[in-house]
Amino acid sequence: MRCLQLPGILLATLPAIVFSQTNLFPQNTLSNPTTSTGTETNTSAAPSSATTSSSSAPLPAAINAPAGYQLSANDGIGVEVFGEEDLKTVARLDSEGNVSLPLIGSVRLGGLTLSQATTRVTELYARDYLVNPKVKVTLLGYARRRFTVLGQVNHPGSFEMPETSPGGIDLMEAIAMAGGFTRIAAPERTSVRRHSANGDQIMRVNAKRVERGQTANFRVLDGDSITVGESIF
């Protein structure tokens, strides 16, 4: 009799077992993977705020170059063609004074004034590409111009000329940047070595007379090497 009652007991308890197993996985936990996937999709589709067109960006502020200033190697320039945003260029002249511009390629601007450079670029664009182009060439930065001060100064070494003095600086300003004369300096025995196409040139300068205003000032140029002599007791 007990064996015959066992199947009945199992059949009676089966609905309860099935119901408890169904409650092991509530409805809200099954929806979590779907919610997570949707979040990941939205995140990856978000646009990037770093996308900027370089051609539409304004050029850096121009430098007011001295009248008649001629462009030289490593000068930074900006070139604009009005109405042609794709042709806007910011670049530096290479060591030979050339710069690469859109459409027209390499152009030699070294040795030209800004006005002459503007005329040159205008002619090249008008020759084959544009009708009556309006071009503007500006100076954005001078090339690094350096000089050296050696001998009897307090801080000998190599110095960079201020950007406000692209044509060189006065001798006494250069000496001041090197800390001034030492106690045993002989300013009257100052020499300046200058590189030129014909070789190095050495010039003797009486810095004492220059300092006192007794002689015309001496202009220190890019690449000059100044040596201040020592007093002989």
Side-chain angles (χ1 to χ4, degrees), residues 42-122:
N42 292 339
T43 301
S44 61
S48 172
S49 60
T51 303
T52 305
S53 173
S54 59
S55 62
S56 62
L59 292 179
I63 294 176
N64 291 325
Y69 177 78
Q70 295 180 339
L71 295 171
S72 62
N74 296 319
D75 277 349
I77 63 168
V79 179
E80 291 181 277
V81 183
F82 294 101
E84 302 289 342
E85 287 293 322
D86 292 342
L87 302 182
K88 186 183 296 181
T89 304
V90 174
R92 281 194 178 274
L93 276 63
D94 63 19
S95 59
E96 297 181 353
N98 300 320
V99 66
S100 181
L101 299 177
L103 298 180
I104 56 179
S106 181
V107 182
R108 186 175 183 84
L109 299 182
L112 302 181
T113 64
L114 292 173
S115 177
Q116 291 171 336
T118 297
T119 299
R120 175 65 174 154
V121 175
T122 300

Side-chain angles (χ1 to χ4, degrees), residues 72-233:
S72 62
N74 296 319
D75 277 349
I77 63 168
V79 179
E80 291 181 277
V81 183
F82 294 101
E84 302 289 342
E85 287 293 322
D86 292 342
L87 302 182
K88 186 183 296 181
T89 304
V90 174
R92 281 194 178 274
L93 276 63
D94 63 19
S95 59
E96 297 181 353
N98 300 320
V99 66
S100 181
L101 299 177
L103 298 180
I104 56 179
S106 181
V107 182
R108 186 175 183 84
L109 299 182
L112 302 181
T113 64
L114 292 173
S115 177
Q116 291 171 336
T118 297
T119 299
R120 175 65 174 154
V121 175
T122 300
E123 291 173 347
L124 292 174
Y125 274 124
R127 180 182 299 172
D128 298 311
Y129 302 101
L130 302 174
V131 177
N132 194 27
K134 305 297 183 182
V135 177
K136 182 180 180 181
V137 178
T138 55
L139 179 66
L140 303 181
Y142 295 112
R144 288 187 174 182
R145 291 166 168 80
R146 305 189 69 87
F147 63 93
T148 304
V149 185
L150 304 173
Q152 294 304 315
V153 290
N154 288 300
H155 303 294
S158 178
F159 302 88
E160 187 171 335
M161 291 184 180
E163 283 202 346
T164 54
S165 303
I169 60 175
D170 294 341
L171 174 64
M172 299 316 300
E173 184 180 353
I175 297 295
M177 291 176 66
F181 298 117
T182 65
R183 182 179 56 83
I184 61 173
E188 68 277 8
R189 297 177 56 225
T190 299
S191 63
V192 179
R193 180 186 295 272
R194 179 169 296 169
H195 301 291
S196 66
N198 298 322
D200 288 356
Q201 178 185 9
I202 298 178
M203 295 164 281
R204 308 292 180 183
V205 184
N206 189 330
K208 180 180 290 188
R209 293 179 64 86
V210 173
E211 186 176 26
R212 293 175 178 176
Q214 296 173 343
T215 60
N217 210 336
F218 183 89
R219 199 73 171 166
V220 177
L221 304 181
D222 177 39
D224 281 358
S225 179
I226 306 163
T227 303
V228 178
E230 181 180 343
S231 295
I232 300 176
F233 296 100

